[in-house]
Every structure is written in structure tokens, then in C-alpha cells.
Amino acid sequence: MTFILFAGRPAIAQTGNDLLGAPDGMNEPYRPQIHFTPRAHWMNDPNGLVYYKGVYHLFFQYYPGGSNWGPMHWGHATSKDLVHWKHEPVALYPDTLGYIFSGSAVVDKENTSGFGSGGRVPLVAIFTQHDTAREHARRVDVENQSIAYSLDEGKTWTKYAGNPVIKNPGVRDFRDPKVMWYAPTRRWILTLAAQDRIMFFSSPDLKSWKKESDFGVGLGAHGGVWECPDLFAMPVKGFSAKSDSVWVLFVSIGWGGPNGGNGTQYFTGKFDGHTFTENDTAVKWVDHGRDDYAGVTWSNTGNRRIFFGWMVNGAYAGVVPTEVWRSGNTLPRELGIDKVGGRYFLVTKPVKELSILEEGWKSFKDNVKVEAPFELQLLTGSVGSFRVVLSNNAGERAVVGFDKGAGQWYVDRSGSGKVDFHKEFAGRHVASRIGLSKTLSLTLVADVASLELFADDGLTVMSELVFPSKPYDKIEVVSEDGVVMKTLKVTKLKGIW
Ligand code: FRU
């Protein structure tokens, strides 16, 4: 069975970095149209994700001096709906203690820090300072943790005079603090990546920290140094009792991801304010694609758990063919937990706010024209092999599908367009199926230069960049197994800029 859909998007200009004439300067070749990117220059990890007074704050690793990694600042952007973003001035600059590496931010509602004044609630940012002078002197105590606060809803920040608040104990990689409030002990809990393990610290006031425990030596994937952790509790789908909440610990690893390069694993288990105990020793991945790293979740979002990842792989982030800016984020995604075969798995979906961008949908039989960005939704009547092929008349194609024999979802971008900028970019990437249902569901969100696959209602996620020389203008859904498509629809999405 083959469905063919032709798209009518006019070819985008492929010459130069045309910042002029573009609304807001945000439509150069390969510029994502439904994803956050900085207007210009280098970005990596999302930092300081915090929701306050109706505004989602995104801070991010940023080098305002060029389109490659350099002295790290915290860039800043804000959004009222997680979808449309406003670029804000740089929030944190390097100082004598070092570059501003990754970290988090919290709303200190009870003013435990004492930074609040005149009834103004402090936002407190907790981040790593990376001291290059010590690095060059080959010292081990290069990375220390510092804090800063804002009394004007994130616009301006004051660094704490007593920085650093956690001094390096003699561990070369000692970074990326993620802080949460743990109500039962009335303590802030700080989760830190320390080379080959996670360290937990606690504090009554965000300034004085006590080491609680270590986690992870000999557990999970250790292909590279551990980075950018996150810790949070999640209710299990379908249960409401308190005992059915599961603790989730994210750990990004610099090398040894599920399809090579870096990747983010997660552990499920229990946390009691002092130690984390896992309930599953198998390695589980937040995203099986090549392009989702250092992702963490927003603080202060009530019952929602919303995730943002850095959508590229560190292996080639510095050479992707975008020169004005480098890297964007994944779609904002809402996380849940589901129990499959007696084990807990993350369930990940694009946030519901994405529907703001919908411009109406068509079923395939209408043979409509569609333009990227778009979302394709599909539900099969049985479990069998099928593929979605996106192609253009330059002979470039990206393939997303399910291989029944192997029991795997996959994205094949071998011939997807520009792939030769790095030897690791081209390839077919796979993810073993987690879902057990008798049908297959797929949501594929395609932007100008990315594909995000949410399979089996979000049990398997794959994020992959693609750089077609002209937009894909044809979508085919093919199944040699004769799989029946119960639902097959494409929804056009408006750009956000
Ligand atoms: C992850 C990371 C973090 C670090 C930051 C530096 O991509 O290496 O561990 O804080 O990037 O930019």
C-alpha cells in the first residue's frame, strides 16, 4: 500500500546568510520555524528552566562571540505559551570564578535564601563556574557551584557575594546542578554530575549545602562522563495514590548514547530526601535519536513536567551547516510515566500548546499540499513493517518507520541531503520497541531541518536533524506487509517567528 502526498512549499533561498528581508531575521536556510533557536551565535544546553508569573524562562549555554563553543554565558528567552519565544538580553556573564556552565533556577517562594526584599520573591539560579585558569594549570578543582538571584522576574541577576557555594572536593568533572524543593524535609535538593556518579546535596537556604549521598557507580551507561542530571517525582498513569509516584533521575552522558555520540539515560526508583534507589537496572533512554542532549525539565510548573533538550549531538554540533546560529532546542515535551511489562517507562509527547500552530489538517486521500513544518499522525490496524518516506526532487530522502522483524523503530537519514559535514552524521538509527499494544501509533513532527518521532504514544522517541538541499515535497507511506492505516493525517503548522 502506498500513499503519496505532494507538498507545495516553494524552495527556500539557499545562498548566503540572508538576515535582511526576513521577518525578524529568522528564516535563513535550515532555520527551524517551530523550534527555539538563538537569533545568532552558539547555543548548547538549556539552563535555568523556570516558570514564574505566567512566563516560561529559558536560559541556555551561550557564546555571544561566535557560532562555535566559547566562553560560556547564560543566554535568555521567554515565552508565555512554550511555543512563541522572545529573545532577551544575556542574563549571566563569566567572572573571575570562571565561565557560567549549566545549571537550574527555582522560585524561592518562602525567601529561604533571604535574597527577597520588599515582598519581592527571589528567583535563584544555581550554576557551575568553570575556571579556565585552573584548567590550564592542570588543577583538579576547576568546577565549583555558584548562585545568583533576580528580584525583577528574571530580567537582571545579582551574583551572591559568598560564591562558590559548593567547593570542588577534588573531582575534575563536577557540574550542572539541578535544584528542587523537597517538602518532607523542608530542604532544597541539589543533584550534581560528578564524573562517573551523581552526588546529592541538601540545603535549607540555597547557600549552605550538605552532601547527602552518591548514586550510580557501576549502574547505567558509562560510555562518557556524566552531565546535566535532573530529579523529579512523577505520578504513574492511571494511579492516583501517593505511593504510586515514581522518582525519575535523568543523566546525560558525553559519549556512548543509544545510537552513538552523546545521549540522555534515565533511572526510575525512589528518593527519600537523602538517597536515590533504582528499581530497574536496565539502561533506559529519554530519546533514542542522535539529536537530543542535556535535556532537563522546568521547575514550578505544578502537576506538569515539561522537558526541553538541546537538539543536536555534541559529536558534530560545531560543524552543522548553519553559520549564523548553531543549535536549537527540541520541541517542549510533556513527560509522564507508564508501566509496561511490569517496568516503568517515560512517556513523552509534544506539549498540547503546540496545537496553537495548527492550520487545519487533511487526510491523505485528499491528496493535499502540505508544507514543512507539519505534523503527521498515523495509527495502524496491526503490528507490521511500514515506513514514511519524505523526499524531494533532488533525490534526497529521509525515512522513518517500523521494522517488524527487528522489532525496531528507526530513522534513516543516510541520503537525507547534506550529510558530509561530519562522518558520524549519516546513518540509520534504531530503537527497540517498548510498547506492547497490537497497533502502532506514530506522531512525526517535521520542521525545516529536523524530525521528531513519538512512537507508541510516546514510549519511544527519536529526534534527528536533517539538512535537505531543498524542502522535502513528497510524503509516501509504504507497507509491504499490507499494514492498514486506521488514521493517517497531516497537520500544517504555522511558523513561530
Ligand atoms: C553538556 C555540557 C555541560 C556543561 C556545559 C558547558 O553539554 O558539557 O556538562 O555544563 O555543556 O557548556
Side-chain angles (χ1 to χ4, degrees):
M1 172 182 341
T2 302
F3 294 90
I4 301 183
L5 185 75
F6 291 92
R9 185 185 167 93
I12 47 174
Q14 291 294 311
T15 48
N17 296 314
D18 182 18
L19 279 170
L20 301 169
D24 208 17
M26 296 294 282
N27 70 352
E28 311 93 321
Y30 304 134
R31 174 72 84 173
Q33 293 302 308
I34 56 168
H35 290 86
F36 176 78
T37 48
R39 185 183 296 275
H41 303 136
W42 171 270
M43 173 177 88
N44 53 292
D45 318 350
N47 295 151
L49 303 180
V50 61
Y51 180 66
Y52 187 56
K53 289 198 173 169
V55 176
Y56 293 91
H57 290 270
L58 162 65
F59 300 91
F60 49 89
Q61 288 288 279
Y62 188 51
Y63 178 45
S67 295
N68 279 92
W69 193 90
M72 283 288 119
H73 300 55
W74 271 24
H76 187 200
T78 53
S79 174
K80 292 194 168 129
D81 60 9
L82 287 167
V83 174
H84 297 92
W85 292 94
K86 183 166 173 268
H87 294 110
E88 305 280 2
V90 167
L92 290 171
Y93 288 81
D95 59 33
T96 52
L97 293 177
Y99 295 174
I100 314 297
F101 269 21
S102 287
S104 51
V106 293
V107 182
D108 184 11
K109 290 173 192 161
E110 296 183 29
N111 195 23
T112 63
S113 63
F115 291 140
S117 76
R120 284 175 299 173
V121 170
L123 297 186
V124 180
I126 310 95
F127 48 88
T128 299
Q129 293 214 260
H130 180 99
D131 185 332
T132 47
R134 291 185 186 184
E135 179 181 9
H136 295 142
R138 294 179 177 274
R139 283 168 62 160
V140 76
D141 56 348
V142 172
E143 295 177 341
N144 297 277
Q145 319 314 319
S146 290
I147 60 177
Y149 62 93
S150 171
L151 296 179
D152 57 5
E153 295 167 31
K155 284 185 198 68
T156 59
W157 293 82
T158 306
K159 289 184 187 128
Y160 175 48
N163 282 340
V165 292
I166 300 180
K167 287 200 176 126
N168 192 299
V171 181
R172 175 57 184 78
D173 297 288
F174 187 70
R175 58 179 177 264
D176 309 338
K178 183 72 161 68
V179 174
M180 60 161 292
W181 177 248
Y182 187 76
T185 56
R186 293 194 49 80
R187 287 288 181 277
W188 297 100
I189 299 296
L190 183 150
T191 306
L192 193 76
Q195 210 155 308
D196 60 349
R197 67 195 67 190
I198 294 300
M199 289 184 183
F200 295 107
F201 295 81
S202 67
S203 170
D205 60 5
L206 295 161
K207 295 170 176 165
S208 59
W209 292 93
K210 171 176 169 259
K211 168 98 182 277
E212 293 285 348
S213 61
D214 284 355
F215 171 82
V217 175
L219 289 169
H222 281 272
V225 73
W226 282 20
E227 297 184 317
C228 299
D230 197 356
L231 174 73
F232 49 88
M234 297 272 307
V236 178
K237 196 171 139 185
F239 294 77
S240 52
K242 225 178 157 192
S243 58
D244 288 307
S245 81
V246 170
W247 284 83
V248 180
L249 175 65
F250 279 17
V251 180
S252 281
I253 53 172
W255 200 254
N259 280 288
N262 49 27
T264 305
Q265 61 184 321
Y266 68 96
F267 299 88
T268 51
K270 284 197 173 79
F271 181 74
D272 62 2
H274 308 285
T275 55
F276 181 88
T277 318
E278 84 288 359
N279 61 15
D280 187 351
T281 49
V283 178
K284 298 185 278 202
W285 299 100
V286 170
D287 192 317
H288 289 79
R290 285 297 303 251
D291 299 313
D292 179 0
Y293 190 63
V296 287
T297 63
W298 258 275
S299 66
N300 201 37
T301 50
N303 292 330
R304 297 181 76 188
R305 197 37 74 178
I306 304 164
F307 167 94
F308 234 13
W310 175 40
M311 194 159 58
V312 68
N313 198 298
Y316 45 73
V319 294
V320 293
T322 63
E323 290 84 28
V324 176
W325 79 99
R326 277 224 173 83
S327 307
N329 288 116
T330 63
L331 287 173
R333 300 169 178 181
E334 183 137 3
L335 305 180
I337 281 277
D338 204 355
K339 208 170 187 178
V340 181
R343 298 165 61 205
Y344 294 107
F345 286 96
L346 212 56
V347 175
T348 306
K349 294 177 183 175
V351 293
K352 59 179 189 300
E353 287 86 344
L354 198 66
S355 65
I356 302 166
L357 303 178
E358 291 180 2
E359 284 194 314
W361 63 274
K362 300 279 181 185
S363 71
F364 263 53
K365 65 179 183 324
D366 296 331
N367 203 17
V368 291
K369 296 190 173 213
V370 73
E371 307 173 351
F374 63 84
E375 176 181 291
L376 181 146
Q377 277 171 309
L378 171 162
L379 176 67
T380 67
S382 59
V383 175
S385 299
F386 73 90
R387 58 188 186 272
V388 179
V389 184
L390 311 181
S391 61
N392 61 22
N393 64 9
E396 298 164 347
R397 42 191 261 145
V399 187
V400 176
F402 182 72
D403 177 340
K404 187 183 177 188
Q408 288 172 337
W409 292 96
Y410 63 89
V411 179
D412 188 346
R413 63 179 180 190
S414 314
S416 58
K418 208 168 185 27
V419 296
D420 60 0
F421 53 88
H422 192 277
K423 62 177 175 9
E424 283 208 23
F425 186 78
R428 183 177 183 276
H429 303 136
V430 302
S432 291
R433 187 177 186 222
I434 296 164
L436 300 172
S437 68
K438 297 199 163 57
T439 57
L440 299 169
S441 74
L442 169 155
T443 296
L444 178 67
V445 183
D447 198 348
V448 172
S450 64
L451 302 172
E452 285 163 281
L453 164 69
F454 304 88
D456 287 317
D457 281 323
L459 278 169
T460 298
V461 179
M462 299 185 81
S463 306
E464 299 263 333
L465 297 178
V466 285
F467 298 99
S469 65
K470 40 167 105 167
Y472 302 127
D473 57 2
K474 183 173 160 191
I475 307 172
E476 294 167 84
V477 180
V478 184
S479 173
E480 275 94 30
D481 280 4
V483 172
V484 172
M485 300 296 156
K486 288 178 121 177
T487 308
L488 192 52
K489 73 176 194 179
V490 175
T491 306
K492 170 80 183 99
L493 302 173
K494 284 181 275 222
I496 62 172
W497 300 116

